[in-house]
Amino acid sequence: MTRVYEEDLSPGFGTRAIHAGQRPEPLAGAIMTPVYLTSTYVQEGLGRNKGYEYARGKNPTREALERNVAALEGARHGFAFSSGTGCLDSIMKLFRAGDHIVCGENVYGGTFRLFDRILQHFGLEFTYIDTRDPQRIADACKGNTRAVLVETPTNPLMRITDLSAAAEATHRAGALLVVDNTFATPFFQRPFEHGADIVYHSTTKYLNGHSDMVGGIALVNDDALAERLQFILNAAGAVPGPFDAWLALRGTKTLHLRMPRHDSNGRAIAPWLAERLGHEHVVYPGLESHPQHELAKRQMRGFGGMITIELGTKERAGQVLERFQVFSLAESLGGVESLVSHPASMTHGSVPADVKAKLGITDGMIRLSCGVEDVDDLLADLEHALAVA
C-alpha cells in the first residue's frame, strides 16, 4: 500500500504541495512524474517483481498523487479513486450488513443517494442528523454504530461541524470519524488534527482545481485501516486512470496559491451580497452573521470561495442564472473559473422533496463557487445578474 515519505511531512505546505510524493524519474531524471500508461508490468521471474504486478493495484503516477495529498493532510497513507462517490463507496465497504452509520443530514446529494438508494439495500443502516450539535451525534450512536460521517462546511447550507467535539462523541461510541474535507481542503482545514480517522475528497474539485478530471481520494493514519482500504481498492477496482492522477497531481502543486485567491474573492463577494440581499439571505462562514462564524474561525484557516444565496423563488433564481456572463451555470465547484449552480435541481436533485424542504434547500437557492478571476469582474457580473425585474 502507498505510504507517505516521512521526510515529506516536515516542510511547509507550499513545499509539500509542489514536491511531496515525487522523486526524479530514475531513467532520465525527469522532474515531473511521468504518466505511466501501462496495464501490467514485466516481472523479473516467478514471484519476483519491482513492487508492481497489475495496474489496478498499483500505478506509479497514482502513488505519487496518493503520497502528495497524504502529506498535505498530514496522513500516512493515501488511496486514489476514480471519483469522489467511488471513493466513498469503497470506504463504506469497510463495513458490513447490520452496521450502523450516523451521517450528517446536509451532505452532498450524491452521498445521500448512494446511502439511501443503494447501500441501505445491502444491510447498512443510516441515521441522518444535524451534526452541528455534538450531543446529537452522541445520542444517535448505538451498539452497532461503526462510523460517523460529517461534511464541513456542508453543501450547500455551509453548516460547520465542530470536528474535535464530533471526534470525541464518535470515539466514545467506538466508531470511526469520517470527514469529507472537499470544500475546505487541507489548506484551510486539517481534520486529522481534530481526531478524524478517515478524510476524503472529491479530487475533481479544489485539489485538481482546473475542471478537467474526475476523481476521489481517501487518507488514513492507521496502518491496519490502510491495509483494509488497499485490499478494497484492488478488489473493487474503482481506481483512476494514470492521466487523471497526473492531472490531479498537477493541480495540487498550485493549491497553496489558488486557495488564498478563492478565499479573498469569497470574503469580498459575501458582504457585498449581504448588503444587497440582506444577511439572512447570504450564507458564508466568513460573515459575522453566520451562526457558526466563531467556530469557523477557530477550526479553519480561511473561509474559501463557496457562497449560498436565497433568492426567494425558482422563477427569480432562473432569471438570475440566465444573466450570468462570467460565472458559468454548471455542476461542480472548486475550479479556477467561477461557477454557479441550482442545488435543488442539480447537486441535490436526487434528494426527496420533503427532505430538501426539511433542510431548507429551496428552489430559490443558488450556490456560487467563486473562482480566481479579478474580483471586480465577478462583482460586476453579480450586479448584472441580480438586476432583474
Side-chain angles (χ1 to χ4, degrees), residues 104-131:
E105 62 182 3
N106 174 220
V107 291
Y108 166 54
T111 298
F112 178 84
R113 177 177 58 211
L114 174 66
F115 292 176
D116 186 64
R117 302 287 294 276
I118 298 177
L119 294 184
Q120 71 161 333
H121 301 301
F122 288 83
L124 290 178
E125 179 188 356
F126 296 93
T127 297
Y128 300 94
I129 64 166
D130 185 347
T131 59

Side-chain angles (χ1 to χ4, degrees), residues 1-2 41 51-52 54-60 62-63 230 234:
M1 58 190 176
T2 306
Y41 307 90
Y52 301 91
Y54 190 65
R56 184 182 65 247
K58 281 187 176 183
N59 177 280
R62 190 168 84 224
E63 287 181 312
Q230 176 61 46
N234 183 58

Side-chain angles (χ1 to χ4, degrees), residues 228-295:
R228 294 171 63 195
L229 274 174
Q230 176 61 46
F231 179 85
I232 292 167
L233 178 146
N234 183 58
V239 298
F243 190 61
D244 283 339
W246 186 89
L247 287 170
L249 186 62
R250 181 275 322 264
T252 59
K253 289 180 182 294
T254 59
L255 185 65
H256 64 298
L257 303 176
R258 291 182 283 109
M259 293 310 294
R261 183 58 174 262
H262 288 294
D263 185 61
S264 65
N265 280 354
R267 289 178 189 240
I269 290 169
W272 184 92
L273 287 167
E275 183 176 347
R276 171 155 189 144
L277 301 175
H279 281 268
E280 69 275 18
H281 298 304
V282 181
V283 189
Y284 180 67
L287 290 175
E288 292 185 6
S289 56
H290 190 287
Q292 296 169 290
H293 174 67
E294 291 302 319
L295 172 60

Side-chain angles (χ1 to χ4, degrees), residues 25-26 33-39 41 59-61 242:
E25 182 272 326
T33 301
V35 183
Y36 284 87
L37 295 171
T38 186
S39 60
Y41 307 90
N59 177 280
T61 313

Side-chain angles (χ1 to χ4, degrees), residues 33 62 66 69 77 79 82 94 103-104 109 114 135 159 161 175 182 208 219-220 223 250 301 342-343 368 389:
T33 301
R62 190 168 84 224
E66 292 168 337
V69 180
H77 305 279
F79 304 92
S82 54
L94 290 165
C103 180
L114 174 66
Q135 186 59 48
R159 295 176 176 178
T161 294
T182 298
N208 165 260
L219 301 315
V220 300
D223 291 344
R250 181 275 322 264
R301 293 177 54 211
H342 184 248
L368 305 174

Side-chain angles (χ1 to χ4, degrees), residues 76 87 124 139 148 263 283 292 333 349:
R76 291 193 182 96
C87 175
L124 290 178
D139 292 345
V148 173
D263 185 61
V283 189
Q292 296 169 290
L333 59 104

